[in-house]
Structures are given as structure tokens and as C-alpha cells.
Amino acid sequence: MEAVDDLKTTRWFYHEWDTGKRETLNASRLLQITRRSKPHEPSVEGYKLHADQSYIATRILFLASTATHHCALYMAAQTIEKYLKSLLMARGQDVSRFGHKLVELAREAGAPFDDEEFVRLCGDLGPFEIAGRYADGHDYVGWQYRIDLLSVLDRFVLMCRQVLIQESPDVLRSRDPIMEVATQDGVTNPLMAAAQQALVHHNRAVIDILRHGSLTPRNL
């Protein structure tokens, strides 16, 4: 975004990732939703895909910075919720009655997810379903955590995928975002290497913006 006169009169622009060329904003060039992109009925595959994506987001948010750990806890709750719903749906259960209640989902899923300490962890993560989306009335500093939670989540994901293989063998043959991310590196994936360089450049630009208090072509 480039300020022209004041905040009420602005022009939006962006820089192309591959060329760095500055372009004026054309929303349809950046994001197109086709008519085929319609809501679908909940499915084992759908919940599993959402769980995979939430898990990846949790790891990124936890490892990026303590500044994003509150969001990481929200995504951790999403990971547990969606994986457990995928498992229960694979068993033919209607999961709509559970809502976002992690404790009930864990107990319904049975062993090993109904372990007392894991259920307690689900209870502690539960409030972040709301706190992660709405700031009103939620304490952003009155909680403590250990990053070791990520290790527990790793184990949880592994166990869920093992159970899913038994309950619904075909589900893991569909798109697997976790494998996509796990096999990426800056050598074999040029896009990832470019993204790493872009991140360094972007962080410098953000610092410049914060120091000068404005969005200008010089900053970006």
C-alpha cells in the first residue's frame, strides 16, 4: 500500500515474487475463487486435510517466534479437533454434536486418546478455540506454556495417522501436506529458497517501515 494524500486516499500495489516488478493491485490476479469452489459435506478426508494444515501451521508459528505462540496454541487446538473428528467419522460417527469440545472428542475416540493427562491437555487447549479468534475478554498474558507441547503434538499426529490407516486405509493416499512440507528444502525447491530470501528482505522492509512510520516505495 502506498499513501498518496492521507489514509482516506490510498493506492494499493504489490511486488511480483519472481521479477520484483511493482504492480498496481488487481484482486482477481492475486486470488481467484472458481465456481467449483463450493462448500462440501464434512468428510474423513476433509477433516484430515484440515488437521494436516493446522499441524503444519502450529509448527511454523511455534518455531518462528514467541510473538506467534498464542496463535500456535489456537492452531494446536485445531489440529487435535480435526484429527479426532476425522478418526470418529472414519468409524461412522456423526461428529457435529461435539462442536469444538476437545475433551469430549478425546474421550469418545478412546485409547490412547482418552488418557487422563492427554484429556487434561485438551481441556487446557480448549479455551484457545475462542481466545485464538476473539480478543474481547480473554487474558493474553495470564497463561504459561512449554514448547515441549510441540513434541506431544508430533506424537499425537503420528498416532492419529496410524489409527487412520486402520480405520480408513484410503485416506492417507490422498493429498498429504505434511509430506509436501517435510520433503522441502532450499536446494531441491527453488521456490522455497526464493521465499527464504524474500523473508529476509521483507523483515528488513518491516523494520524500516516501523522506524519511519510510513509505507512508501522506499520502504518496500
Side-chain angles (χ1 to χ4, degrees), residues 162-184:
Q162 289 176 336
V163 174
L164 272 173
I165 290 175
Q166 301 172 5
E167 302 285 349
S168 185
D170 292 335
V171 71
L172 295 183
R173 296 174 186 169
S174 58
R175 182 187 172 194
D176 191 347
I178 295 178
M179 182 60 70
E180 291 177 23
V181 172
T183 55
Q184 287 186 154

PDB file of all heavy atoms in Angstrom, residues 162-184:
ATOM      1  N   GLN A 162      -1.605 -43.343  12.236  1.00  0.00           N
ATOM      2  CA  GLN A 162      -1.543 -44.805  12.327  1.00  0.00           C
ATOM      3  C   GLN A 162      -2.942 -45.403  12.487  1.00  0.00           C
ATOM      4  O   GLN A 162      -3.272 -46.411  11.865  1.00  0.00           O
ATOM      5  CB  GLN A 162      -0.653 -45.210  13.504  1.00  0.00           C
ATOM      6  CG  GLN A 162       0.829 -44.932  13.274  1.00  0.00           C
ATOM      7  CD  GLN A 162       1.681 -45.259  14.494  1.00  0.00           C
ATOM      8  OE1 GLN A 162       1.201 -45.277  15.624  1.00  0.00           O
ATOM      9  NE2 GLN A 162       2.956 -45.529  14.254  1.00  0.00           N
ATOM     10  N   VAL A 163      -3.766 -44.757  13.316  1.00  0.00           N
ATOM     11  CA  VAL A 163      -5.134 -45.237  13.508  1.00  0.00           C
ATOM     12  C   VAL A 163      -5.944 -45.062  12.232  1.00  0.00           C
ATOM     13  O   VAL A 163      -6.736 -45.926  11.850  1.00  0.00           O
ATOM     14  CB  VAL A 163      -5.799 -44.497  14.685  1.00  0.00           C
ATOM     15  CG1 VAL A 163      -7.270 -44.897  14.799  1.00  0.00           C
ATOM     16  CG2 VAL A 163      -5.077 -44.793  15.988  1.00  0.00           C
ATOM     17  N   LEU A 164      -5.747 -43.932  11.551  1.00  0.00           N
ATOM     18  CA  LEU A 164      -6.483 -43.684  10.314  1.00  0.00           C
ATOM     19  C   LEU A 164      -6.187 -44.734   9.250  1.00  0.00           C
ATOM     20  O   LEU A 164      -7.058 -45.100   8.456  1.00  0.00           O
ATOM     21  CB  LEU A 164      -6.163 -42.285   9.779  1.00  0.00           C
ATOM     22  CG  LEU A 164      -7.035 -41.139  10.306  1.00  0.00           C
ATOM     23  CD1 LEU A 164      -6.498 -39.798   9.831  1.00  0.00           C
ATOM     24  CD2 LEU A 164      -8.485 -41.323   9.862  1.00  0.00           C
ATOM     25  N   ILE A 165      -4.949 -45.206   9.209  1.00  0.00           N
ATOM     26  CA  ILE A 165      -4.588 -46.254   8.249  1.00  0.00           C
ATOM     27  C   ILE A 165      -5.448 -47.497   8.489  1.00  0.00           C
ATOM     28  O   ILE A 165      -5.881 -48.169   7.553  1.00  0.00           O
ATOM     29  CB  ILE A 165      -3.096 -46.609   8.371  1.00  0.00           C
ATOM     30  CG1 ILE A 165      -2.239 -45.456   7.850  1.00  0.00           C
ATOM     31  CG2 ILE A 165      -2.776 -47.884   7.589  1.00  0.00           C
ATOM     32  CD1 ILE A 165      -0.753 -45.667   8.045  1.00  0.00           C
ATOM     33  N   GLN A 166      -5.719 -47.782   9.760  1.00  0.00           N
ATOM     34  CA  GLN A 166      -6.534 -48.945  10.111  1.00  0.00           C
ATOM     35  C   GLN A 166      -8.020 -48.694   9.865  1.00  0.00           C
ATOM     36  O   GLN A 166      -8.736 -49.557   9.366  1.00  0.00           O
ATOM     37  CB  GLN A 166      -6.308 -49.316  11.580  1.00  0.00           C
ATOM     38  CG  GLN A 166      -4.868 -49.657  11.916  1.00  0.00           C
ATOM     39  CD  GLN A 166      -4.643 -49.830  13.409  1.00  0.00           C
ATOM     40  OE1 GLN A 166      -5.584 -49.777  14.187  1.00  0.00           O
ATOM     41  NE2 GLN A 166      -3.398 -50.036  13.794  1.00  0.00           N
ATOM     42  N   GLU A 167      -8.475 -47.473  10.233  1.00  0.00           N
ATOM     43  CA  GLU A 167      -9.896 -47.156  10.140  1.00  0.00           C
ATOM     44  C   GLU A 167     -10.335 -46.822   8.713  1.00  0.00           C
ATOM     45  O   GLU A 167     -11.445 -47.151   8.303  1.00  0.00           O
ATOM     46  CB  GLU A 167     -10.224 -45.966  11.061  1.00  0.00           C
ATOM     47  CG  GLU A 167      -9.881 -46.178  12.525  1.00  0.00           C
ATOM     48  CD  GLU A 167     -10.864 -47.107  13.214  1.00  0.00           C
ATOM     49  OE1 GLU A 167     -11.913 -47.420  12.634  1.00  0.00           O
ATOM     50  OE2 GLU A 167     -10.578 -47.516  14.367  1.00  0.00           O
ATOM     51  N   SER A 168      -9.474 -46.126   7.975  1.00  0.00           N
ATOM     52  CA  SER A 168      -9.814 -45.688   6.625  1.00  0.00           C
ATOM     53  C   SER A 168      -8.551 -45.708   5.767  1.00  0.00           C
ATOM     54  O   SER A 168      -7.908 -44.670   5.578  1.00  0.00           O
ATOM     55  CB  SER A 168     -10.431 -44.284   6.665  1.00  0.00           C
ATOM     56  OG  SER A 168     -10.864 -43.868   5.404  1.00  0.00           O
ATOM     57  N   PRO A 169      -8.164 -46.869   5.249  1.00  0.00           N
ATOM     58  CA  PRO A 169      -6.881 -47.031   4.565  1.00  0.00           C
ATOM     59  C   PRO A 169      -6.652 -46.058   3.409  1.00  0.00           C
ATOM     60  O   PRO A 169      -5.510 -45.691   3.130  1.00  0.00           O
ATOM     61  CB  PRO A 169      -6.934 -48.479   4.058  1.00  0.00           C
ATOM     62  CG  PRO A 169      -7.902 -49.154   4.972  1.00  0.00           C
ATOM     63  CD  PRO A 169      -8.932 -48.120   5.307  1.00  0.00           C
ATOM     64  N   ASP A 170      -7.710 -45.641   2.735  1.00  0.00           N
ATOM     65  CA  ASP A 170      -7.551 -44.789   1.554  1.00  0.00           C
ATOM     66  C   ASP A 170      -7.263 -43.334   1.889  1.00  0.00           C
ATOM     67  O   ASP A 170      -6.802 -42.585   1.031  1.00  0.00           O
ATOM     68  CB  ASP A 170      -8.802 -44.857   0.673  1.00  0.00           C
ATOM     69  CG  ASP A 170      -8.978 -46.218   0.023  1.00  0.00           C
ATOM     70  OD1 ASP A 170      -7.954 -46.909  -0.142  1.00  0.00           O
ATOM     71  OD2 ASP A 170     -10.120 -46.583  -0.304  1.00  0.00           O
ATOM     72  N   VAL A 171      -7.510 -42.926   3.135  1.00  0.00           N
ATOM     73  CA  VAL A 171      -7.435 -41.509   3.460  1.00  0.00           C
ATOM     74  C   VAL A 171      -6.025 -40.954   3.324  1.00  0.00           C
ATOM     75  O   VAL A 171      -5.829 -39.807   2.938  1.00  0.00           O
ATOM     76  CB  VAL A 171      -7.984 -41.242   4.880  1.00  0.00           C
ATOM     77  CG1 VAL A 171      -7.037 -41.785   5.940  1.00  0.00           C
ATOM     78  CG2 VAL A 171      -8.229 -39.758   5.091  1.00  0.00           C
ATOM     79  N   LEU A 172      -5.017 -41.751   3.623  1.00  0.00           N
ATOM     80  CA  LEU A 172      -3.645 -41.265   3.544  1.00  0.00           C
ATOM     81  C   LEU A 172      -3.077 -41.347   2.131  1.00  0.00           C
ATOM     82  O   LEU A 172      -1.933 -40.953   1.903  1.00  0.00           O
ATOM     83  CB  LEU A 172      -2.754 -42.053   4.513  1.00  0.00           C
ATOM     84  CG  LEU A 172      -3.088 -41.858   6.000  1.00  0.00           C
ATOM     85  CD1 LEU A 172      -2.091 -42.619   6.862  1.00  0.00           C
ATOM     86  CD2 LEU A 172      -3.094 -40.396   6.380  1.00  0.00           C
ATOM     87  N   ARG A 173      -3.862 -41.856   1.204  1.00  0.00           N
ATOM     88  CA  ARG A 173      -3.415 -41.889  -0.184  1.00  0.00           C
ATOM     89  C   ARG A 173      -3.767 -40.592  -0.910  1.00  0.00           C
ATOM     90  O   ARG A 173      -3.310 -40.355  -2.018  1.00  0.00           O
ATOM     91  CB  ARG A 173      -4.050 -43.077  -0.910  1.00  0.00           C
ATOM     92  CG  ARG A 173      -3.617 -44.429  -0.337  1.00  0.00           C
ATOM     93  CD  ARG A 173      -4.373 -45.562  -0.995  1.00  0.00           C
ATOM     94  NE  ARG A 173      -4.071 -46.847  -0.348  1.00  0.00           N
ATOM     95  CZ  ARG A 173      -4.739 -47.961  -0.570  1.00  0.00           C
ATOM     96  NH1 ARG A 173      -5.741 -47.964  -1.434  1.00  0.00           N
ATOM     97  NH2 ARG A 173      -4.415 -49.078   0.059  1.00  0.00           N
ATOM     98  N   SER A 174      -4.613 -39.790  -0.277  1.00  0.00           N
ATOM     99  CA  SER A 174      -4.966 -38.504  -0.861  1.00  0.00           C
ATOM    100  C   SER A 174      -3.851 -37.502  -0.575  1.00  0.00           C
ATOM    101  O   SER A 174      -2.791 -37.855  -0.064  1.00  0.00           O
ATOM    102  CB  SER A 174      -6.297 -38.007  -0.277  1.00  0.00           C
ATOM    103  OG  SER A 174      -6.216 -37.895   1.127  1.00  0.00           O
ATOM    104  N   ARG A 175      -4.085 -36.254  -0.892  1.00  0.00           N
ATOM    105  CA  ARG A 175      -3.064 -35.228  -0.724  1.00  0.00           C
ATOM    106  C   ARG A 175      -2.521 -35.224   0.707  1.00  0.00           C
ATOM    107  O   ARG A 175      -3.283 -35.303   1.663  1.00  0.00           O
ATOM    108  CB  ARG A 175      -3.664 -33.859  -1.051  1.00  0.00           C
ATOM    109  CG  ARG A 175      -2.646 -32.740  -0.933  1.00  0.00           C
ATOM    110  CD  ARG A 175      -3.285 -31.381  -1.086  1.00  0.00           C
ATOM    111  NE  ARG A 175      -2.325 -30.339  -0.771  1.00  0.00           N
ATOM    112  CZ  ARG A 175      -2.662 -29.073  -0.563  1.00  0.00           C
ATOM    113  NH1 ARG A 175      -3.917 -28.710  -0.651  1.00  0.00           N
ATOM    114  NH2 ARG A 175      -1.735 -28.188  -0.278  1.00  0.00           N
ATOM    115  N   ASP A 176      -1.208 -35.122   0.838  1.00  0.00           N
ATOM    116  CA  ASP A 176      -0.565 -35.173   2.145  1.00  0.00           C
ATOM    117  C   ASP A 176       0.316 -33.937   2.333  1.00  0.00           C
ATOM    118  O   ASP A 176       1.506 -33.946   1.991  1.00  0.00           O
ATOM    119  CB  ASP A 176       0.281 -36.438   2.261  1.00  0.00           C
ATOM    120  CG  ASP A 176       0.759 -36.692   3.688  1.00  0.00           C
ATOM    121  OD1 ASP A 176       0.636 -35.775   4.519  1.00  0.00           O
ATOM    122  OD2 ASP A 176       1.252 -37.794   3.961  1.00  0.00           O
ATOM    123  N   PRO A 177      -0.240 -32.842   2.860  1.00  0.00           N
ATOM    124  CA  PRO A 177       0.529 -31.612   3.046  1.00  0.00           C
ATOM    125  C   PRO A 177       1.759 -31.794   3.928  1.00  0.00           C
ATOM    126  O   PRO A 177       2.786 -31.136   3.716  1.00  0.00           O
ATOM    127  CB  PRO A 177      -0.475 -30.658   3.697  1.00  0.00           C
ATOM    128  CG  PRO A 177      -1.812 -31.193   3.324  1.00  0.00           C
ATOM    129  CD  PRO A 177      -1.637 -32.678   3.284  1.00  0.00           C
ATOM    130  N   ILE A 178       1.673 -32.665   4.920  1.00  0.00           N
ATOM    131  CA  ILE A 178       2.804 -32.861   5.828  1.00  0.00           C
ATOM    132  C   ILE A 178       4.005 -33.411   5.059  1.00  0.00           C
ATOM    133  O   ILE A 178       5.138 -32.957   5.242  1.00  0.00           O
ATOM    134  CB  ILE A 178       2.429 -33.804   6.985  1.00  0.00           C
ATOM    135  CG1 ILE A 178       1.354 -33.154   7.865  1.00  0.00           C
ATOM    136  CG2 ILE A 178       3.651 -34.159   7.825  1.00  0.00           C
ATOM    137  CD1 ILE A 178       0.872 -34.019   9.000  1.00  0.00           C
ATOM    138  N   MET A 179       3.758 -34.371   4.182  1.00  0.00           N
ATOM    139  CA  MET A 179       4.851 -34.919   3.385  1.00  0.00           C
ATOM    140  C   MET A 179       5.397 -33.859   2.425  1.00  0.00           C
ATOM    141  O   MET A 179       6.608 -33.781   2.199  1.00  0.00           O
ATOM    142  CB  MET A 179       4.368 -36.145   2.603  1.00  0.00           C
ATOM    143  CG  MET A 179       5.457 -36.808   1.771  1.00  0.00           C
ATOM    144  SD  MET A 179       6.862 -37.384   2.782  1.00  0.00           S
ATOM    145  CE  MET A 179       6.092 -38.760   3.656  1.00  0.00           C
ATOM    146  N   GLU A 180       4.513 -33.034   1.873  1.00  0.00           N
ATOM    147  CA  GLU A 180       4.950 -31.971   0.971  1.00  0.00           C
ATOM    148  C   GLU A 180       5.934 -31.034   1.666  1.00  0.00           C
ATOM    149  O   GLU A 180       6.974 -30.661   1.116  1.00  0.00           O
ATOM    150  CB  GLU A 180       3.743 -31.186   0.466  1.00  0.00           C
ATOM    151  CG  GLU A 180       2.833 -31.967  -0.474  1.00  0.00           C
ATOM    152  CD  GLU A 180       1.618 -31.157  -0.867  1.00  0.00           C
ATOM    153  OE1 GLU A 180       1.675 -29.912  -0.794  1.00  0.00           O
ATOM    154  OE2 GLU A 180       0.599 -31.761  -1.258  1.00  0.00           O
ATOM    155  N   VAL A 181       5.602 -30.650   2.893  1.00  0.00           N
ATOM    156  CA  VAL A 181       6.455 -29.731   3.649  1.00  0.00           C
ATOM    157  C   VAL A 181       7.729 -30.429   4.113  1.00  0.00           C
ATOM    158  O   VAL A 181       8.825 -29.867   4.048  1.00  0.00           O
ATOM    159  CB  VAL A 181       5.688 -29.152   4.853  1.00  0.00           C
ATOM    160  CG1 VAL A 181       6.616 -28.357   5.753  1.00  0.00           C
ATOM    161  CG2 VAL A 181       4.545 -28.260   4.372  1.00  0.00           C
ATOM    162  N   ALA A 182       7.585 -31.663   4.576  1.00  0.00           N
ATOM    163  CA  ALA A 182       8.723 -32.385   5.144  1.00  0.00           C
ATOM    164  C   ALA A 182       9.829 -32.633   4.128  1.00  0.00           C
ATOM    165  O   ALA A 182      11.003 -32.739   4.489  1.00  0.00           O
ATOM    166  CB  ALA A 182       8.261 -33.707   5.746  1.00  0.00           C
ATOM    167  N   THR A 183       9.468 -32.718   2.855  1.00  0.00           N
ATOM    168  CA  THR A 183      10.460 -33.029   1.832  1.00  0.00           C
ATOM    169  C   THR A 183      10.999 -31.777   1.140  1.00  0.00           C
ATOM    170  O   THR A 183      11.769 -31.883   0.184  1.00  0.00           O
ATOM    171  CB  THR A 183       9.862 -33.967   0.772  1.00  0.00           C
ATOM    172  OG1 THR A 183       8.656 -33.387   0.238  1.00  0.00           O
ATOM    173  CG2 THR A 183       9.533 -35.317   1.381  1.00  0.00           C
ATOM    174  N   GLN A 184      10.605 -30.601   1.619  1.00  0.00           N
ATOM    175  CA  GLN A 184      11.088 -29.365   1.019  1.00  0.00           C
ATOM    176  C   GLN A 184      12.429 -28.940   1.617  1.00  0.00           C
ATOM    177  O   GLN A 184      12.670 -29.121   2.810  1.00  0.00           O
ATOM    178  CB  GLN A 184      10.083 -28.221   1.245  1.00  0.00           C
ATOM    179  CG  GLN A 184       8.837 -28.328   0.419  1.00  0.00           C
ATOM    180  CD  GLN A 184       7.948 -27.116   0.575  1.00  0.00           C
ATOM    181  OE1 GLN A 184       7.180 -26.796  -0.314  1.00  0.00           O
ATOM    182  NE2 GLN A 184       8.043 -26.448   1.697  1.00  0.00           N
TER     183      GLN A 184
END
